[in-house]
mmCIF file of all heavy atoms in Angstrom:
data_model
loop_
_atom_site.group_PDB
_atom_site.id
_atom_site.type_symbol
_atom_site.label_atom_id
_atom_site.label_comp_id
_atom_site.label_asym_id
_atom_site.label_seq_id
_atom_site.Cartn_x
_atom_site.Cartn_y
_atom_site.Cartn_z
ATOM 1 N N GLY A 386 -32.058 16.835 6.083
ATOM 2 C CA GLY A 386 -31.487 15.632 5.474
ATOM 3 C C GLY A 386 -31.233 15.806 3.997
ATOM 4 O O GLY A 386 -30.182 15.398 3.472
ATOM 5 N N GLY A 387 -32.196 16.427 3.289
ATOM 6 C CA GLY A 387 -32.012 16.676 1.866
ATOM 7 C C GLY A 387 -30.851 17.626 1.608
ATOM 8 O O GLY A 387 -30.061 17.433 0.671
ATOM 9 N N SER A 388 -30.736 18.665 2.431
ATOM 10 C CA SER A 388 -29.653 19.643 2.264
ATOM 11 C C SER A 388 -28.297 19.009 2.510
ATOM 12 O O SER A 388 -27.308 19.324 1.823
ATOM 13 C CB SER A 388 -29.860 20.813 3.226
ATOM 14 O OG SER A 388 -31.105 21.443 3.009
ATOM 15 N N PHE A 389 -28.219 18.114 3.485
ATOM 16 C CA PHE A 389 -26.953 17.446 3.785
ATOM 17 C C PHE A 389 -26.440 16.646 2.590
ATOM 18 O O PHE A 389 -25.233 16.459 2.431
ATOM 19 C CB PHE A 389 -27.123 16.515 4.991
ATOM 20 C CG PHE A 389 -26.990 17.229 6.314
ATOM 21 C CD1 PHE A 389 -27.190 16.554 7.512
ATOM 22 C CD2 PHE A 389 -26.665 18.574 6.377
ATOM 23 C CE1 PHE A 389 -27.070 17.196 8.727
ATOM 24 C CE2 PHE A 389 -26.541 19.231 7.583
ATOM 25 C CZ PHE A 389 -26.736 18.544 8.764
ATOM 26 N N PHE A 390 -27.356 16.163 1.759
ATOM 27 C CA PHE A 390 -26.944 15.362 0.604
ATOM 28 C C PHE A 390 -26.065 16.184 -0.344
ATOM 29 O O PHE A 390 -25.173 15.650 -1.008
ATOM 30 C CB PHE A 390 -28.157 14.819 -0.140
ATOM 31 C CG PHE A 390 -27.815 13.841 -1.233
ATOM 32 C CD1 PHE A 390 -27.497 12.529 -0.944
ATOM 33 C CD2 PHE A 390 -27.783 14.237 -2.563
ATOM 34 C CE1 PHE A 390 -27.170 11.629 -1.951
ATOM 35 C CE2 PHE A 390 -27.462 13.360 -3.577
ATOM 36 C CZ PHE A 390 -27.162 12.040 -3.265
ATOM 37 N N TYR A 391 -26.323 17.495 -0.407
ATOM 38 C CA TYR A 391 -25.503 18.348 -1.269
ATOM 39 C C TYR A 391 -24.067 18.430 -0.747
ATOM 40 O O TYR A 391 -23.110 18.475 -1.529
ATOM 41 C CB TYR A 391 -26.115 19.747 -1.365
ATOM 42 C CG TYR A 391 -27.365 19.791 -2.210
ATOM 43 C CD1 TYR A 391 -28.615 19.553 -1.654
ATOM 44 C CD2 TYR A 391 -27.293 20.069 -3.571
ATOM 45 C CE1 TYR A 391 -29.765 19.588 -2.424
ATOM 46 C CE2 TYR A 391 -28.436 20.109 -4.356
ATOM 47 C CZ TYR A 391 -29.675 19.860 -3.777
ATOM 48 O OH TYR A 391 -30.811 19.886 -4.556
ATOM 49 N N GLY A 392 -23.917 18.475 0.580
ATOM 50 C CA GLY A 392 -22.580 18.453 1.152
ATOM 51 C C GLY A 392 -21.858 17.164 0.827
ATOM 52 O O GLY A 392 -20.656 17.160 0.492
ATOM 53 N N ASP A 393 -22.579 16.051 0.905
ATOM 54 C CA ASP A 393 -22.020 14.747 0.546
ATOM 55 C C ASP A 393 -21.641 14.727 -0.933
ATOM 56 O O ASP A 393 -20.629 14.125 -1.326
ATOM 57 C CB ASP A 393 -23.055 13.660 0.855
ATOM 58 C CG ASP A 393 -22.515 12.260 0.624
ATOM 59 O OD1 ASP A 393 -21.291 12.080 0.739
ATOM 60 O OD2 ASP A 393 -23.316 11.358 0.331
ATOM 61 N N GLY A 394 -22.442 15.418 -1.770
ATOM 62 C CA GLY A 394 -22.181 15.458 -3.206
ATOM 63 C C GLY A 394 -20.905 16.177 -3.575
ATOM 64 O O GLY A 394 -20.374 15.983 -4.680
ATOM 65 N N VAL A 395 -20.388 17.011 -2.674
ATOM 66 C CA VAL A 395 -19.110 17.685 -2.917
ATOM 67 C C VAL A 395 -17.941 16.813 -2.465
ATOM 68 O O VAL A 395 -16.941 16.665 -3.181
ATOM 69 C CB VAL A 395 -19.068 19.042 -2.189
ATOM 70 C CG1 VAL A 395 -17.669 19.657 -2.263
ATOM 71 C CG2 VAL A 395 -20.101 19.991 -2.788
ATOM 72 N N ILE A 396 -18.052 16.205 -1.291
ATOM 73 C CA ILE A 396 -16.935 15.444 -0.724
ATOM 74 C C ILE A 396 -16.716 14.127 -1.456
ATOM 75 O O ILE A 396 -15.572 13.720 -1.703
ATOM 76 C CB ILE A 396 -17.176 15.178 0.773
ATOM 77 C CG1 ILE A 396 -17.296 16.508 1.522
ATOM 78 C CG2 ILE A 396 -16.036 14.358 1.354
ATOM 79 C CD1 ILE A 396 -16.051 17.353 1.496
ATOM 80 N N THR A 397 -17.790 13.417 -1.814
ATOM 81 C CA THR A 397 -17.657 12.083 -2.413
ATOM 82 C C THR A 397 -16.825 12.069 -3.693
ATOM 83 O O THR A 397 -15.879 11.279 -3.816
ATOM 84 C CB THR A 397 -19.035 11.454 -2.653
ATOM 85 O OG1 THR A 397 -19.691 11.269 -1.402
ATOM 86 C CG2 THR A 397 -18.905 10.114 -3.361
ATOM 87 N N PRO A 398 -17.116 12.909 -4.709
ATOM 88 C CA PRO A 398 -16.263 12.877 -5.908
ATOM 89 C C PRO A 398 -14.813 13.221 -5.601
ATOM 90 O O PRO A 398 -13.889 12.616 -6.163
ATOM 91 C CB PRO A 398 -16.900 13.932 -6.822
ATOM 92 C CG PRO A 398 -18.304 14.064 -6.342
ATOM 93 C CD PRO A 398 -18.247 13.848 -4.865
ATOM 94 N N ALA A 399 -14.608 14.186 -4.704
ATOM 95 C CA ALA A 399 -13.244 14.619 -4.402
ATOM 96 C C ALA A 399 -12.438 13.502 -3.737
ATOM 97 O O ALA A 399 -11.327 13.174 -4.169
ATOM 98 C CB ALA A 399 -13.279 15.860 -3.511
ATOM 99 N N ILE A 400 -12.981 12.895 -2.677
ATOM 100 C CA ILE A 400 -12.231 11.877 -1.938
ATOM 101 C C ILE A 400 -12.100 10.587 -2.750
ATOM 102 O O ILE A 400 -11.057 9.907 -2.689
ATOM 103 C CB ILE A 400 -12.889 11.592 -0.568
ATOM 104 C CG1 ILE A 400 -11.955 10.745 0.307
ATOM 105 C CG2 ILE A 400 -14.241 10.908 -0.716
ATOM 106 C CD1 ILE A 400 -12.469 10.557 1.728
ATOM 107 N N SER A 401 -13.103 10.249 -3.539
ATOM 108 C CA SER A 401 -13.054 9.004 -4.310
ATOM 109 C C SER A 401 -11.980 9.063 -5.384
ATOM 110 O O SER A 401 -11.122 8.171 -5.500
ATOM 111 C CB SER A 401 -14.420 8.720 -4.941
ATOM 112 O OG SER A 401 -15.415 8.540 -3.957
ATOM 113 N N VAL A 402 -12.004 10.125 -6.201
ATOM 114 C CA VAL A 402 -11.038 10.234 -7.294
ATOM 115 C C VAL A 402 -9.627 10.440 -6.753
ATOM 116 O O VAL A 402 -8.664 9.829 -7.235
ATOM 117 C CB VAL A 402 -11.440 11.383 -8.245
ATOM 118 C CG1 VAL A 402 -10.348 11.622 -9.289
ATOM 119 C CG2 VAL A 402 -12.766 11.049 -8.935
ATOM 120 N N LEU A 403 -9.476 11.278 -5.728
ATOM 121 C CA LEU A 403 -8.153 11.495 -5.138
ATOM 122 C C LEU A 403 -7.559 10.187 -4.611
ATOM 123 O O LEU A 403 -6.382 9.880 -4.838
ATOM 124 C CB LEU A 403 -8.245 12.511 -4.003
ATOM 125 C CG LEU A 403 -7.842 13.957 -4.300
ATOM 126 C CD1 LEU A 403 -8.005 14.812 -3.056
ATOM 127 C CD2 LEU A 403 -6.419 14.051 -4.824
ATOM 128 N N SER A 404 -8.366 9.399 -3.898
ATOM 129 C CA SER A 404 -7.859 8.161 -3.306
ATOM 130 C C SER A 404 -7.434 7.160 -4.373
ATOM 131 O O SER A 404 -6.508 6.371 -4.163
ATOM 132 C CB SER A 404 -8.923 7.535 -2.389
ATOM 133 O OG SER A 404 -10.098 7.220 -3.113
ATOM 134 N N ALA A 405 -8.098 7.187 -5.525
ATOM 135 C CA ALA A 405 -7.701 6.288 -6.614
ATOM 136 C C ALA A 405 -6.410 6.757 -7.270
ATOM 137 O O ALA A 405 -5.473 5.963 -7.475
ATOM 138 C CB ALA A 405 -8.819 6.199 -7.650
ATOM 139 N N ILE A 406 -6.334 8.056 -7.595
ATOM 140 C CA ILE A 406 -5.136 8.581 -8.260
ATOM 141 C C ILE A 406 -3.916 8.490 -7.352
ATOM 142 O O ILE A 406 -2.774 8.403 -7.814
ATOM 143 C CB ILE A 406 -5.359 10.044 -8.705
ATOM 144 C CG1 ILE A 406 -6.592 10.146 -9.613
ATOM 145 C CG2 ILE A 406 -4.145 10.588 -9.444
ATOM 146 C CD1 ILE A 406 -6.485 9.417 -10.913
ATOM 147 N N GLU A 407 -4.144 8.488 -6.031
ATOM 148 C CA GLU A 407 -3.019 8.377 -5.088
ATOM 149 C C GLU A 407 -2.296 7.046 -5.205
ATOM 150 O O GLU A 407 -1.202 6.865 -4.632
ATOM 151 C CB GLU A 407 -3.508 8.597 -3.664
ATOM 152 C CG GLU A 407 -3.735 10.073 -3.330
ATOM 153 C CD GLU A 407 -4.497 10.290 -2.038
ATOM 154 O OE1 GLU A 407 -4.884 9.293 -1.390
ATOM 155 O OE2 GLU A 407 -4.722 11.459 -1.683
ATOM 156 N N GLY A 408 -2.865 6.107 -5.957
ATOM 157 C CA GLY A 408 -2.154 4.865 -6.239
ATOM 158 C C GLY A 408 -0.851 5.102 -6.985
ATOM 159 O O GLY A 408 0.038 4.244 -6.996
ATOM 160 N N LEU A 409 -0.720 6.297 -7.607
ATOM 161 C CA LEU A 409 0.526 6.645 -8.285
ATOM 162 C C LEU A 409 1.696 6.640 -7.314
ATOM 163 O O LEU A 409 2.846 6.368 -7.705
ATOM 164 C CB LEU A 409 0.399 8.035 -8.932
ATOM 165 C CG LEU A 409 -0.402 8.141 -10.241
ATOM 166 C CD1 LEU A 409 -0.570 9.600 -10.622
ATOM 167 C CD2 LEU A 409 0.282 7.364 -11.361
ATOM 168 N N GLU A 410 1.448 6.973 -6.047
ATOM 169 C CA GLU A 410 2.519 6.988 -5.051
ATOM 170 C C GLU A 410 3.142 5.621 -4.874
ATOM 171 O O GLU A 410 4.325 5.500 -4.543
ATOM 172 C CB GLU A 410 1.978 7.484 -3.702
ATOM 173 C CG GLU A 410 1.529 8.939 -3.701
ATOM 174 C CD GLU A 410 0.940 9.351 -2.367
ATOM 175 O OE1 GLU A 410 0.316 8.500 -1.700
ATOM 176 O OE2 GLU A 410 1.098 10.519 -1.990
ATOM 177 N N ILE A 411 2.339 4.573 -5.071
ATOM 178 C CA ILE A 411 2.841 3.205 -4.920
ATOM 179 C C ILE A 411 3.565 2.765 -6.190
ATOM 180 O O ILE A 411 4.622 2.124 -6.131
ATOM 181 C CB ILE A 411 1.677 2.245 -4.610
ATOM 182 C CG1 ILE A 411 0.904 2.722 -3.375
ATOM 183 C CG2 ILE A 411 2.181 0.828 -4.424
ATOM 184 C CD1 ILE A 411 1.739 2.807 -2.118
ATOM 185 N N ILE A 412 3.003 3.119 -7.349
ATOM 186 C CA ILE A 412 3.582 2.684 -8.625
ATOM 187 C C ILE A 412 4.868 3.439 -8.929
ATOM 188 O O ILE A 412 5.890 2.849 -9.307
ATOM 189 C CB ILE A 412 2.554 2.889 -9.757
ATOM 190 C CG1 ILE A 412 1.311 2.034 -9.492
ATOM 191 C CG2 ILE A 412 3.160 2.547 -11.111
ATOM 192 C CD1 ILE A 412 0.175 2.301 -10.457
ATOM 193 N N ALA A 413 4.812 4.771 -8.792
ATOM 194 C CA ALA A 413 5.985 5.605 -9.087
ATOM 195 C C ALA A 413 5.963 6.802 -8.149
ATOM 196 O O ALA A 413 5.300 7.801 -8.447
ATOM 197 C CB ALA A 413 5.964 6.062 -10.548
ATOM 198 N N PRO A 414 6.656 6.728 -7.030
ATOM 199 C CA PRO A 414 6.611 7.815 -6.029
ATOM 200 C C PRO A 414 6.971 9.180 -6.595
ATOM 201 O O PRO A 414 6.507 10.205 -6.094
ATOM 202 C CB PRO A 414 7.642 7.359 -4.985
ATOM 203 C CG PRO A 414 7.672 5.866 -5.123
ATOM 204 C CD PRO A 414 7.462 5.585 -6.574
ATOM 205 N N SER A 415 7.769 9.212 -7.656
ATOM 206 C CA SER A 415 8.174 10.501 -8.229
ATOM 207 C C SER A 415 7.013 11.234 -8.897
ATOM 208 O O SER A 415 7.124 12.425 -9.202
ATOM 209 C CB SER A 415 9.290 10.275 -9.255
ATOM 210 O OG SER A 415 8.836 9.442 -10.313
ATOM 211 N N LEU A 416 5.900 10.525 -9.138
ATOM 212 C CA LEU A 416 4.751 11.139 -9.815
ATOM 213 C C LEU A 416 3.728 11.719 -8.836
ATOM 214 O O LEU A 416 2.667 12.158 -9.271
ATOM 215 C CB LEU A 416 4.051 10.095 -10.703
ATOM 216 C CG LEU A 416 4.868 9.518 -11.862
ATOM 217 C CD1 LEU A 416 4.045 8.466 -12.606
ATOM 218 C CD2 LEU A 416 5.303 10.625 -12.829
ATOM 219 N N ASP A 417 4.059 11.720 -7.550
ATOM 220 C CA ASP A 417 3.064 12.155 -6.576
ATOM 221 C C ASP A 417 2.639 13.610 -6.766
ATOM 222 O O ASP A 417 1.534 13.998 -6.407
ATOM 223 C CB ASP A 417 3.559 11.931 -5.148
ATOM 224 C CG ASP A 417 4.822 12.749 -4.847
ATOM 225 O OD1 ASP A 417 5.448 13.242 -5.806
ATOM 226 O OD2 ASP A 417 5.159 12.862 -3.647
ATOM 227 N N ARG A 418 3.524 14.429 -7.388
ATOM 228 C CA ARG A 418 3.148 15.827 -7.600
ATOM 229 C C ARG A 418 2.068 15.998 -8.667
ATOM 230 O O ARG A 418 1.501 17.088 -8.820
ATOM 231 C CB ARG A 418 4.380 16.643 -7.966
ATOM 232 C CG ARG A 418 5.014 16.287 -9.304
ATOM 233 C CD ARG A 418 6.277 17.112 -9.539
ATOM 234 N NE ARG A 418 6.883 16.888 -10.848
ATOM 235 C CZ ARG A 418 7.703 15.897 -11.121
ATOM 236 N NH1 ARG A 418 8.018 15.020 -10.174
ATOM 237 N NH2 ARG A 418 8.224 15.766 -12.337
ATOM 238 N N PHE A 419 1.813 14.924 -9.422
ATOM 239 C CA PHE A 419 0.787 15.001 -10.475
ATOM 240 C C PHE A 419 -0.582 14.522 -9.995
ATOM 241 O O PHE A 419 -1.539 14.520 -10.774
ATOM 242 C CB PHE A 419 1.211 14.156 -11.689
ATOM 243 C CG PHE A 419 2.432 14.676 -12.389
ATOM 244 C CD1 PHE A 419 3.637 14.002 -12.289
ATOM 245 C CD2 PHE A 419 2.384 15.848 -13.116
ATOM 246 C CE1 PHE A 419 4.777 14.465 -12.920
ATOM 247 C CE2 PHE A 419 3.514 16.339 -13.757
ATOM 248 C CZ PHE A 419 4.718 15.644 -13.659
ATOM 249 N N ILE A 420 -0.682 14.110 -8.741
ATOM 250 C CA ILE A 420 -1.946 13.540 -8.243
ATOM 251 C C ILE A 420 -3.079 14.552 -8.325
ATOM 252 O O ILE A 420 -4.169 14.256 -8.850
ATOM 253 C CB ILE A 420 -1.763 13.019 -6.801
ATOM 254 C CG1 ILE A 420 -0.873 11.777 -6.794
ATOM 255 C CG2 ILE A 420 -3.121 12.704 -6.173
ATOM 256 C CD1 ILE A 420 -0.531 11.275 -5.407
ATOM 257 N N ILE A 421 -2.838 15.758 -7.819
ATOM 258 C CA ILE A 421 -3.902 16.773 -7.832
ATOM 259 C C ILE A 421 -4.252 17.202 -9.261
ATOM 260 O O ILE A 421 -5.441 17.240 -9.624
ATOM 261 C CB ILE A 421 -3.516 17.990 -6.963
ATOM 262 C CG1 ILE A 421 -3.489 17.575 -5.484
ATOM 263 C CG2 ILE A 421 -4.489 19.143 -7.176
ATOM 264 C CD1 ILE A 421 -3.093 18.690 -4.543
ATOM 265 N N PRO A 422 -3.266 17.517 -10.134
ATOM 266 C CA PRO A 422 -3.628 17.859 -11.522
ATOM 267 C C PRO A 422 -4.391 16.750 -12.239
ATOM 268 O O PRO A 422 -5.359 17.024 -12.961
ATOM 269 C CB PRO A 422 -2.273 18.110 -12.193
ATOM 270 C CG PRO A 422 -1.374 18.516 -11.078
ATOM 271 C CD PRO A 422 -1.824 17.706 -9.894
ATOM 272 N N PHE A 423 -3.967 15.486 -12.061
ATOM 273 C CA PHE A 423 -4.675 14.375 -12.693
ATOM 274 C C PHE A 423 -6.103 14.269 -12.163
ATOM 275 O O PHE A 423 -7.054 14.036 -12.930
ATOM 276 C CB PHE A 423 -3.928 13.060 -12.451
ATOM 277 C CG PHE A 423 -2.705 12.881 -13.323
ATOM 278 C CD1 PHE A 423 -1.850 11.806 -13.132
ATOM 279 C CD2 PHE A 423 -2.421 13.788 -14.333
ATOM 280 C CE1 PHE A 423 -0.708 11.640 -13.921
ATOM 281 C CE2 PHE A 423 -1.286 13.637 -15.126
ATOM 282 C CZ PHE A 423 -0.433 12.573 -14.919
ATOM 283 N N SER A 424 -6.270 14.435 -10.863
ATOM 284 C CA SER A 424 -7.601 14.347 -10.260
ATOM 285 C C SER A 424 -8.517 15.445 -10.801
ATOM 286 O O SER A 424 -9.683 15.197 -11.131
ATOM 287 C CB SER A 424 -7.510 14.459 -8.734
ATOM 288 O OG SER A 424 -6.722 13.417 -8.194
ATOM 289 N N ILE A 425 -7.967 16.653 -10.896
ATOM 290 C CA ILE A 425 -8.759 17.770 -11.437
ATOM 291 C C ILE A 425 -9.129 17.509 -12.888
ATOM 292 O O ILE A 425 -10.263 17.774 -13.317
ATOM 293 C CB ILE A 425 -7.981 19.092 -11.294
ATOM 294 C CG1 ILE A 425 -7.869 19.480 -9.816
ATOM 295 C CG2 ILE A 425 -8.650 20.210 -12.084
ATOM 296 C CD1 ILE A 425 -7.022 20.705 -9.558
ATOM 297 N N ALA A 426 -8.183 16.959 -13.666
ATOM 298 C CA ALA A 426 -8.456 16.675 -15.078
ATOM 299 C C ALA A 426 -9.568 15.642 -15.222
ATOM 300 O O ALA A 426 -10.475 15.797 -16.057
ATOM 301 C CB ALA A 426 -7.180 16.180 -15.756
ATOM 302 N N VAL A 427 -9.506 14.584 -14.412
ATOM 303 C CA VAL A 427 -10.535 13.531 -14.476
ATOM 304 C C VAL A 427 -11.911 14.096 -14.123
ATOM 305 O O VAL A 427 -12.908 13.848 -14.819
ATOM 306 C CB VAL A 427 -10.166 12.363 -13.534
ATOM 307 C CG1 VAL A 427 -11.346 11.405 -13.380
ATOM 308 C CG2 VAL A 427 -8.957 11.606 -14.063
ATOM 309 N N LEU A 428 -11.975 14.878 -13.054
ATOM 310 C CA LEU A 428 -13.263 15.431 -12.626
ATOM 311 C C LEU A 428 -13.777 16.488 -13.600
ATOM 312 O O LEU A 428 -14.992 16.600 -13.818
ATOM 313 C CB LEU A 428 -13.132 16.019 -11.219
ATOM 314 C CG LEU A 428 -13.029 14.972 -10.107
ATOM 315 C CD1 LEU A 428 -12.558 15.609 -8.807
ATOM 316 C CD2 LEU A 428 -14.369 14.267 -9.901
#
């Protein structure tokens, strides 16, 4: 159980920040190519 928490510690930041930055697709679809760079910069 303790070891599994480390796996969760990798997925949670990645999916949380990505899902938030993906809001760019709704605001300006042309910016979708910047989602991954922005997510990496934030993290």
